[in-house]
Amino acid sequence: MEQLGIQPQALIMQVINFTILVVVLTKLLYKPILGMLDKRRKEIEEGVKLTEKLRLEEEKLTLRREKLLDEARSDARRMLEEAKAAGKEVEKDVIAAAGKEAADIVEKAKADAQRIHDGLADEIRKESATLASEMVTRILSGLTVAEQHKIVARNLKEISKSN
Amino acid sequence: MPHISLAAETVGHLFGVPITNGLLTTWIGMAAVVTLSFLATRNLVLVPGKGQLVAEILIGGLHSLFASVMKSQVKQFFPLLATLFIFILSLNWVGLLPGVGTIGFREMKEGQTAFVPLFRAGTADLNTTLALALIAIVVIQIVGFRTLGTSYAKKFINLTSPIYFFVGILELVSEFSKVISFAFRLFGNIFAGEVLLTVIAFLIPIIAPIPFLGLELFVGIIQALVFSMLTSVFLLNATAAHNEHT
């Protein structure tokens, strides 16, 4: 034992040294470091969970967006069809109204033309009567009453024949 | 010729207790470990600095290593196992520092002047390795009894059959032999390394010791690992049911 250098007091000192080191390192090194590693692991786990949650949210939002886009496209298509149909209806109505208006205008124009024609005819008749009267007056002014009666009678006769 | 002594030399006395050069180096190693631990953990943050990173790699790695052996029991025994590793590693490596084994004084012994080194690798002192071995084995027995109760004693004293009785005696002997194997394996490896370095440095002082220093650094890690891993395996065996052994 002596040759190996084993001394009970030195042995006990080393046991005490080791025990002190276990206590000190447990407080100073192991607990804080393992606590920090545990904390970091939890933070990473939470981060991974959050990322997964956000990914699922994003997937949901993408699906929802696609659905809304499909709905919007479908609505737009339907509205376009409805607008086209409504446009055709309006077109028909407009054409019908225009046709009616044109017919009215034509009718009115015909009536106006007739009225103008009638007015002109009356005016011409009056004018011709006046002219005829003046012509007769001028012609008859140099004739005797008998000649005048004779000419008037002949003309009246001709007029009655022509009518 | 360099001075080589199997036993650690006494370099002084403190309150009547002999202070060996191995004990002195042990205190230096402990002081270094405690100081480095303090520096590494004084300002812990989620994004670690260099010191914290090294401490996290070391402690996290050790925890994973022992957890692979001890599974859920690692939490209970981690301080003991990790301290064994760090303590042994620090003593092994402090023993490789320049000045260890070379700084000392001369004293008269049996009429002759002898060189007494002031520092010696802590694990090249049999008192240290024996103390660690005793701690490991005593803890293993305590844990065995606490976990399995009186059935743990059946491992050593089993009167159910002559074969089990004989196996029990062998188990008892093996527990004592564990102390010896623990102590002498570590002491032998580190002391041999120290002697090797001393001899090489004596024969070829420049460059030649460098590869051997690298080798001794490696041996230092391996021996620390062997000691702590064997302790973890023995602890696991001690907490396993007796039937699993027989």
Side-chain angles (χ1 to χ4, degrees):
Chain A
M1 290 285 248
E2 197 179 320
Q3 277 194 330
L4 291 171
I6 296 171
Q7 302 174 40
Q9 287 163 318
L11 202 74
I12 291 165
M13 285 291 279
Q14 291 291 25
V15 170
I16 293 168
N17 283 339
F18 182 77
T19 311
I20 290 169
L21 200 64
V22 169
V23 174
V24 171
L25 288 186
T26 303
K27 282 206 163 193
L28 196 67
L29 189 65
Y30 307 144
K31 275 187 182 173
I33 292 288
L34 290 176
M36 179 52 69
L37 289 173
D38 200 40
K39 189 180 171 186
R40 190 178 295 129
R41 199 187 66 245
K42 278 179 186 165
E43 293 252 343
I44 291 167
E45 278 175 3
E46 279 174 15
V48 169
K49 273 182 193 171
L50 189 66
T51 310
E52 185 63 22
K53 193 182 166 187
L54 286 174
R55 196 182 62 77
L56 289 172
E57 285 283 322
E58 193 195 349
E59 274 181 12
K60 273 183 192 172
L61 284 174
T62 308
L63 284 173
R64 191 170 155 70
R65 193 187 66 190
E66 290 293 323
K67 194 182 168 189
L68 284 172
L69 276 173
D70 285 348
E71 280 177 9
R73 280 195 199 103
S74 169
D75 282 352
R77 217 173 288 126
R78 186 173 48 75
M79 283 166 78
L80 194 66
E81 292 297 323
E82 282 175 6
K84 274 184 183 173
K88 278 184 181 171
E89 286 294 317
V90 170
E91 188 187 4
K92 274 183 190 173
D93 290 349
V94 167
I95 288 168
K100 192 172 176 281
E101 200 174 335
D104 287 350
I105 288 167
V106 168
E107 284 299 317
K108 196 183 168 191
K110 276 181 181 174
D112 285 350
Q114 188 60 46
R115 190 168 33 80
I116 291 164
H117 176 266
D118 290 347
L120 284 173
D122 283 347
E123 215 170 306
I124 289 165
R125 203 173 291 127
K126 281 176 187 169
E127 282 281 322
S128 55
T130 308
L131 278 172
S133 173
E134 281 179 11
M135 282 169 68
V136 168
T137 307
R138 279 184 191 173
I139 292 165
L140 292 179
S141 61
L143 296 176
T144 61
V145 175
E147 284 173 336
Q148 286 177 1
H149 279 288
K150 199 176 170 183
I151 290 166
V152 169
R154 194 179 67 220
N155 282 321
L156 286 171
K157 201 175 178 180
E158 279 178 9
I159 289 167
S160 62
K161 272 183 185 174
S162 67
N163 284 337
Chain B
M1 188 67 193
H3 167 80
I4 293 169
S5 165
L6 194 65
E9 292 93 346
T10 303
V11 292
H13 287 82
L14 188 71
F15 305 115
V17 178
I19 306 298
T20 61
N21 45 13
L23 193 60
L24 206 59
T25 317
T26 302
W27 285 337
I28 292 170
M30 282 174 69
V33 168
V34 171
T35 308
L36 289 173
S37 301
F38 173 73
L39 290 174
T41 57
R42 65 180 166 167
N43 185 24
L44 290 177
V45 282
L46 270 177
V47 181
K50 285 177 188 171
Q52 187 185 333
L53 190 66
V54 171
E56 283 184 7
I57 289 170
L58 176 68
I59 302 304
L62 282 176
H63 193 269
S64 302
L65 183 72
F66 293 128
S68 69
V69 177
M70 305 209 73
K71 312 291 179 200
S72 60
Q73 295 184 72
V74 71
K75 198 179 176 185
Q76 190 183 350
F77 300 116
F78 182 71
L80 171 77
L81 298 170
T83 310
L84 274 174
F85 179 83
I86 292 169
F87 187 62
I88 293 168
L89 185 69
S90 66
L91 296 189
N92 291 349
W93 281 1
V94 166
L96 299 174
L97 290 174
V100 176
T102 53
I103 296 172
F105 54 89
R106 293 189 181 278
E107 69 172 11
M108 291 294 288
K109 265 187 184 176
E110 295 163 2
Q112 286 184 329
T113 310
F115 176 75
V116 179
L118 197 56
F119 306 110
R120 177 193 179 101
T123 39
D125 179 355
L126 202 54
N127 289 305
T128 312
T129 58
L130 196 59
L132 293 175
L134 283 170
I135 289 168
I137 297 304
V138 167
V139 170
I140 288 166
Q141 304 313 317
I142 291 170
V143 167
F145 274 107
R146 272 179 61 181
T147 311
L148 302 175
T150 50
S151 68
Y152 183 72
K154 285 181 185 171
K155 184 179 166 187
F156 307 112
I157 305 161
N158 196 331
L159 301 174
T160 51
S161 78
I163 292 172
Y164 282 159
F165 178 72
F166 185 69
V167 168
I169 291 169
L170 288 180
E171 287 279 358
L172 204 61
V173 172
S174 83
E175 292 302 313
F176 285 104
S177 69
K178 275 177 194 170
V179 178
I180 296 164
S181 75
F182 262 142
F184 281 90
R185 182 190 303 110
L186 182 58
F187 169 75
N189 275 284
I190 303 307
F191 182 69
E194 208 173 52
V195 170
L196 178 70
L197 284 174
T198 309
V199 171
I200 294 291
F202 176 72
L203 294 173
I204 313 165
I206 301 167
I207 299 175
I210 293 172
F212 293 97
L213 273 171
L215 184 73
E216 285 311 310
L217 281 172
F218 182 66
V219 169
I221 296 177
I222 295 296
Q223 286 308 313
L225 203 61
V226 165
F227 199 106
S228 51
M229 284 299 282
L230 278 175
T231 307
S232 71
V233 172
F234 291 151
L235 274 169
L236 196 69
N237 281 344
T239 53
H242 179 59
N243 289 340
E244 291 174 25
H245 289 286
T246 55

